[in-house]
Amino acid sequence: MKPAYQRYALTRTAQAAVVVLLAYVLTFLVTSVLPGDAVTNALRDPQNGLSEQEIQRIVAFYGLDKPVLVQLGLSLGRFLTGELGFSLQSDLPVSRLIGDALPSTLTLAGSALVIAVVFAAAIAYGAHHLPGKWSGAVRSIPSFFLSVPNFVIGLVLIELFAFRLHSFTTTDPNSPAATLFAAVTLAIPVSAPLAEVLIAGLDHESRQDYAQVARSRGITEAGLFVKHLVKPSALPSVAMVALIVGELLGGSVITETIFGRDGIGTVVQKAVTGEDQPVLQAVVSLSAVVFVAVNLIADLVSPLVDPRIKLREAVDA
């Protein structure tokens, strides 16, 4: 491994660690320090039925009787060791709640990402190779996808495929068919920016000298696309895929609610409704970790697959 890449990787990793740290501190301040102590309010809710001794024990665990900086230090230390605390609603470990819900959300988000890539590739290919007005129509699809709210797409798919065509049933939201349509709901808006990047990349690469030379040698448009245009056009999409991970995480909350799936979206919804601060803080912080980690991977992979990226410039940026 070249020294330049090692310096680049260390720099990007350090930057990612700083971003995660700042994200956690900001989340802590928003959920714990601002006026209106959600933890204490929830603990003293008569519906929880906690005794004064139990309340004091939980207050001591979270350090609510200590200065703000001490609270932050205790909270950050627990987070770094994987100790996420306990839910104020169910009294279960937060790590268990998230662990039980995570597989469903990962299945949905992963399936949606694959479908989004397929949609984007099909749109980009059609926009670049279909003749005349058809190409223009295909190029407008990403804008249409972005203009339709996620919940509208889900409701339309449920009405059409569940109630009319009976392709899946809403009473079994975790079935393969229901998961597929939930993933399509999430993938449609996500595929739009990815398709636009691919279209722009194909337009740019097809005008380059090497593409003209290949055409002069008699290569077909399909052969040009597969052999010469796909790889350089797809490279900018690596960064775009990393960026849309955040949209996948956010969109999964809405999609899971629409399709009745039990995932991270359900956990977040219950935490917000019940002011369950430990659960909410853990979900937000872990989402930030996932988002930063995916972007870090994209940053580390890009120089390996694209020799045009200069590491010194990337480090200085």
Side-chain angles (χ1 to χ4, degrees):
M1 186 176 296
K2 297 181 179 179
Y5 181 80
Q6 291 179 342
R7 291 193 299 269
Y8 169 79
L10 289 175
T11 301
R12 283 292 186 252
T13 302
Q15 291 172 346
V18 171
V19 170
V20 171
L21 178 62
L22 293 177
Y24 186 86
V25 171
L26 179 61
T27 304
F28 176 86
L29 294 175
V30 171
T31 59
S32 302
V33 178
L34 294 181
D37 188 346
V39 174
T40 303
N41 292 339
L43 291 176
R44 298 195 178 279
D45 188 344
Q47 295 182 355
N48 287 335
L50 296 176
S51 66
E52 186 64 28
Q53 183 178 3
E54 291 172 326
I55 292 176
Q56 293 302 322
R57 178 177 57 82
I58 296 175
V59 167
F61 176 81
Y62 287 107
L64 299 177
D65 53 349
K66 295 181 173 60
V68 172
L69 292 180
V70 177
Q71 293 183 39
L72 177 58
L74 292 173
S75 179
L76 184 58
R78 290 195 300 267
F79 179 73
L80 293 176
T81 58
E83 173 57 61
L84 304 178
F86 295 87
S87 169
L88 302 179
Q89 290 180 302
S90 62
D91 199 30
L92 294 173
V94 176
S95 56
R96 176 179 172 182
L97 293 175
I98 295 177
D100 291 343
L102 191 59
S104 176
T105 299
L106 290 179
T107 299
L108 175 61
S111 302
L113 180 59
V114 173
I115 295 173
V117 171
V118 173
F119 281 175
I123 293 171
Y125 182 85
H128 194 256
H129 289 88
L130 290 177
K133 61 180 181 180
W134 293 108
S135 176
V138 172
R139 288 175 182 269
S140 65
I141 291 178
S143 299
F144 173 72
F145 280 178
L146 286 174
S147 66
V148 182
N150 183 269
F151 70 91
V152 172
I153 299 173
L155 293 176
V156 170
L157 292 180
I158 290 174
E159 173 66 23
L160 179 60
F161 291 98
F163 297 152
R164 296 183 182 273
L165 300 179
H166 306 290
S167 299
F168 69 97
T169 174
T170 55
T171 59
D172 187 11
N174 295 316
S175 66
T179 300
L180 173 62
F181 286 103
V184 170
T185 299
L186 184 56
I188 286 177
V190 169
S191 66
L194 189 58
E196 291 178 340
V197 170
L198 285 173
I199 291 173
L202 285 172
D203 289 343
H204 177 266
E205 296 298 329
S206 64
R207 294 191 296 265
Q208 300 304 305
D209 292 339
Y210 73 86
Q212 301 300 330
V213 172
R215 289 190 182 97
S216 67
R217 292 179 176 177
I219 191 172
T220 63
E221 287 297 322
L224 177 65
F225 177 82
V226 173
K227 295 181 179 180
H228 300 288
L229 299 183
V230 169
K231 183 177 179 179
S233 300
L235 289 175
S237 303
V238 174
M240 180 58 64
V241 169
L243 291 176
I244 64 177
V245 167
E247 189 172 350
L248 286 171
L249 294 175
S252 65
V253 175
I254 301 174
T255 304
E256 287 173 349
T257 302
I258 295 172
F259 283 83
R261 296 174 60 88
D262 291 329
I264 297 297
T266 304
V267 173
V268 172
Q269 183 182 20
K270 292 180 179 179
V272 172
T273 303
E275 294 185 345
D276 201 340
Q277 182 266 340
V279 175
L280 187 60
Q281 181 173 334
V283 171
V284 174
S285 300
L286 291 176
S287 298
V289 170
V290 172
F291 182 77
V292 172
V294 172
N295 280 272
L296 175 62
I297 293 173
D299 287 342
L300 296 180
V301 169
S302 295
L304 298 178
V305 298
D306 189 357
R308 295 174 297 181
I309 296 178
K310 296 181 180 180
L311 295 180
R312 179 174 297 178
E313 294 179 358
V315 171
D316 294 337

